[in-house]
Amino acid sequence: MTTQMFGAPIRRKEDPRLLTGGGRYLDDLGHHALAAAFVRSPHAHARITDIDVTDAVDVEGVVAIYTWEDLPGKVAEPLPLLIPHPTLTHGRTGYALARDEVNHVGEPVVMVVATDRYLAEDACQRIRVDYELLPVVVGIENARDGAHLVHEDAPGNVAAHMVQETGDVEAALAKAPHTLTLDLAIERSACMPMEGKGVYARWNDEDGELRIYSSTQTSTGVRAAVAAKLELPLAKVECIAPDVGGGFGVKIMHPWPEEVLVPWAARLLKREVKWAEDRREHFISSAHERGQLQQVTVGFDDEGRVLGLDVRFWHDNGAYTPYGIIVPIITSTQLLGPYKPGAYRCEFWSLYTNTVLVTPYRGAGRPQGVFAMERTMDAIADYLDLDRAEVRSRNFILPEEMPYDHGLLFQDGRPLKYDSGDFPASLDKLKKLVGWDDFEAYRAEAEAEGRKVGLGIGCYVEGTGVGPYEGGHITIETSGRVNVATGLTTQGQGHQTAFAQIVAQELGVPIEDVHVTTGDTRKMPYAVGTFASRAAVMSGNAIALATRNVKAKALRIAADALEVAEDDLEIVDGVVQVKGAPTTSMPLGTVAVLSNPLRYAFDDAAKAATQFAGTFDPDKPPVADDEEPGLEGRDFYSPTQATFANGMHAAIVETDPVTAEIRILRYCVIHDCGTMINPMIVEGQVHGGVAQGVGGALYERMAYDESGQLLNASFMDFLMPYASEVPHVEADHLETPSPLNPLGIKGAGEAGCIPVSAVIASAIEDAEGFPITSMPISPVELWELRQRHEAGELPSLRHHHGHQPTAAAPSRDQEPTA
């Protein structure tokens, strides 16, 4: 019998190939292709006055050199602004090659194509570009004061100014018994996948067809964008995402300049051309995220219930806005988390700086919003001398209030309406998992040993599975092999396993017979992409619907052949059989044969489908009027709104009393992504997210100097957590199925990283006894805060959060050694 597939912790099907060196990444392709390299601006803001390529033209192996003046038609126009918005009044995008001005270090100015990358780089070194330097705007404060402008036609450096509100915030704050104002900050960081971006293009001159391979999260987006730029019929362009060595958001953008220029050069030269990004290029010419300054004013009652919340923040969008203002919109809406805010008003300004552009990074605006909300919750608890978990509990949206409409518009332009969730149950699970009620005894024990420890908490809600749609296509071969195609791409999420589990469960076939293809526009030309924790929700449901269509067709055909009623049939281990009488049966492969009437017998299986096999009713057409040949089906899933996952994290940290080193002793997660397809994959996603969250909380930041130079553009200087810095993650799950989709699932990909900065800040604050208002935080910064606190420049917290000792503390041997 076919075992339970959906919901089972099946080992990932793709791992043996990837772990044994069988992966095929972008740079594994096109070994004989010409290689592209780029001259990039060394200045953050400058006018280009001259480009001299004379010394590079004669370099042996150089095939072509291009500047903006060489670009024709739409290739020479600005890159698209992908997500327009009414409040994005001064949206700006760059050119594939800089036209007259550069606006950040790393902007591409000249493209060189040579017989190999080494020669192309040598030629780049010989090209002379003269610049007239312009004033540089670095950092939100400098952008905000508007003394210098990144774009002359964007006053005050404001790309967008947006306000969303519900209720009368001013009145609510005026009537509130208590108010607090917090000034908060989160620094700029970046994705840093192991594999940088890359694109490889092949032009077929005889057929006028272009094939692109790109390390992308949106193969259909790249296809459409390149077809538009090169003015090619969409049907003549294919885009394939090979194995992708990490994305985390930075590979959403379509098209990157290189994704336009490499295919354009391939067509012009009638040669294969490839470019693979090196690490420094990735630092200075891809995308960053996170940087915001925030001001929160909250009004609340004596019980800690929020009556009014007024939030203002300033968002650094870098030099251009190709992805619109999705990130700050998400911050402004997802900030609310699992809470009822009373009256709510959020106003933000998205500002230009002469730094790398900003697009979503795993979490996509949510870590900033959660930081603002959770710091506020801790501040309320401290002000009223209440338990932090209790304050959160008193503000929760309750299960019986679902669906809950916040009265705001989400990033998809649709209402911010939570579909499901049980926040009190999640909090109860978290408190038990971390030992919340026992922590004060543990703190006393640690203090007796001369150790400082703190307990932190953070809650979040994450909109997942945003539309507009995804599709699934299922084909069953005569061998019984089941081919599954969906258009979104894969960067390590385990799609080949999770989607196969859905099909195996729905169809009743062994998972070994199911083969999944993603990110290939030849197999599925209609798709959106992999981001926003949408793959399982969107493609998972589309694949389930397509599988149900195929199953219904298989049962119709088999019922006719076996002369039984459809309702009497079931599919078990790839065999269609009569319920209770399995000897009356036929393999799915045979059903596939019968579904496709043939004139010629290509193999033994095909004989059963030819005209003299005697398997057809002579009074009926070989293919019925309402049928198509073949045992295959396609369907799409398009939701009315996002579905909202949620979770809560807690951490115990130790801060060294001398060195201020911060060590995470325990990290606990409660996560609710609805019905889980594969709990092991979900847990892996959570673990990976926590690792990135720890990086964002304690290590990773982009350090720019006042001239716009990125000072730490290498893995030697940009700190990321190693395995030794990532804590062991203790996770538990709550499953509140979403009522919005057939499978009841919600997204899980970003959840692990969203609340980590808030949780770690909460724990450090609890250990130290003074406010933590900016992240990430280093030992040096913590040491400096201690000095300021001792000098009376920082206020003390009114108390250590939590209960008085009531039970034995967690034993030291329960702590991870990391």
Side-chain angles (χ1 to χ4, degrees), residues 183 209 255 265 304 342 394 432 461 501 511 625 795:
D183 290 301
E209 294 178 345
R394 292 174 184 178
K432 288 175 181 175
V461 172
Q501 286 179 253
I511 193 170
D625 291 342

Side-chain angles (χ1 to χ4, degrees), residues 341-642:
Y344 176 62
R345 181 179 188 274
C346 186
E347 180 176 18
F348 71 75
W349 294 262
S350 195
L351 302 175
Y352 286 114
T353 58
N354 289 120
T355 57
V356 173
L357 61 89
V358 165
T359 63
Y361 165 29
R362 194 177 195 173
R366 295 176 188 87
Q368 300 96 306
V370 171
F371 185 71
M373 192 74 238
E374 295 302 299
R375 295 282 66 218
T376 300
M377 284 292 169
D378 279 357
I380 293 170
D382 180 61
Y383 183 89
L384 295 174
D385 197 15
L386 292 172
D387 178 76
R388 291 170 292 170
E390 181 60 29
V391 168
R392 287 164 169 83
S393 179
R394 292 174 184 178
N395 285 283
F396 279 159
I397 299 162
L398 301 177
E400 57 267 26
E401 296 177 285
M402 298 291 184
Y404 189 89
D405 191 340
H406 274 293
L408 305 170
L409 289 182
F410 191 42
Q411 62 149 315
D412 54 1
R414 293 171 178 264
L416 182 73
K417 185 190 296 183
Y418 296 174
D419 54 302
S420 58
D422 189 339
F423 308 136
S426 290
L427 181 60
D428 185 58
K429 274 180 170 280
L430 182 69
K431 289 174 68 176
K432 288 175 181 175
L433 183 61
V434 78
W436 184 270
D437 293 335
D438 303 334
F439 182 72
E440 286 306 313
Y442 176 53
R443 188 203 304 277
E445 218 176 76
E447 287 177 351
E449 299 170 0
R451 300 164 52 228
K452 278 188 174 185
V453 295
L455 173 61
I457 186 172
C459 309
Y460 68 93
V461 172
E462 179 196 2
T464 73
V466 295
Y469 70 87
E470 287 296 341
H473 185 217
I474 315 294
T475 306
I476 302 175
E477 297 184 5
T478 57
S479 64
R481 174 187 169 108
V482 182
N483 298 316
V484 182
T486 188
L488 54 67
T489 59
T490 296
Q491 305 94 48
Q493 296 92 337
H495 293 157
Q496 278 76 15
T497 305
F499 294 155
Q501 286 179 253
I502 293 171
V503 173
Q505 182 76 25
E506 292 280 346
L507 194 56
V509 298
I511 193 170
E512 295 78 17
D513 291 346
V514 183
H515 302 268
V516 178
T517 299
T518 60
D520 187 337
T521 62
R522 299 170 299 179
K523 301 288 181 69
M524 177 58 78
Y526 295 102
V528 179
T530 301
F531 51 88
S533 300
R534 66 190 304 275
V537 177
M538 301 301 298
S539 279
N541 280 288
I543 286 167
L545 294 171
T547 305
R548 292 173 189 179
N549 293 341
V550 172
K551 182 178 182 179
K553 183 174 184 179
L555 294 178
R556 286 197 305 272
I557 295 168
D560 189 51
L562 296 172
E563 299 181 336
V564 297
E566 289 178 41
D567 291 345
D568 292 335
L569 293 175
E570 62 182 353
I571 305 176
V572 178
D573 285 336
V575 176
V576 186
Q577 62 188 36
V578 175
K579 298 172 186 175
T583 54
T584 305
S585 64
M586 67 170 54
L588 262 179
T590 302
V591 181
V593 170
L594 299 179
S595 72
N596 184 22
L598 297 174
R599 184 172 179 82
Y600 306 110
F602 302 110
D603 54 24
D604 288 341
K607 291 177 185 177
T610 55
Q611 59 266 46
F612 299 114
T615 54
F616 299 108
D617 186 336
D619 296 326
K620 295 180 180 178
V623 179
D625 291 342
D626 57 349
E627 291 279 14
E628 295 179 356
L631 193 52
E632 62 180 296
R634 186 166 76 163
D635 211 334
F636 292 84
Y637 173 66
S638 181
T640 57
Q641 64 162 86

Side-chain angles (χ1 to χ4, degrees), residues 307-329:
L307 304 175
L309 188 65
D310 191 4
V311 177
R312 300 194 305 163
F313 69 88
W314 295 262
H315 174 76
D316 181 349
N317 60 229
Y320 301 112
T321 55
Y323 211 75
I325 54 171
I326 291 297
V327 172
I329 287 175

Side-chain angles (χ1 to χ4, degrees), residues 758-814:
V759 173
I760 299 301
S762 177
I764 295 171
E765 181 175 282
D766 188 47
E768 296 289 328
F770 51 76
I772 302 296
T773 59
S774 180
M775 296 295 273
I777 187 168
S778 68
V780 170
E781 288 162 327
L782 180 56
W783 187 87
E784 289 172 349
L785 289 175
R786 283 179 180 172
Q787 307 310 302
R788 291 179 57 200
H789 179 242
E790 290 171 6
E793 297 174 17
L794 280 183
S796 294
L797 298 183
R798 298 192 177 197
H799 71 300
H800 275 311
H801 303 303
H803 297 282
Q804 293 304 308
T806 56
S811 63
R812 289 277 286 168
D813 58 15
Q814 289 178 322

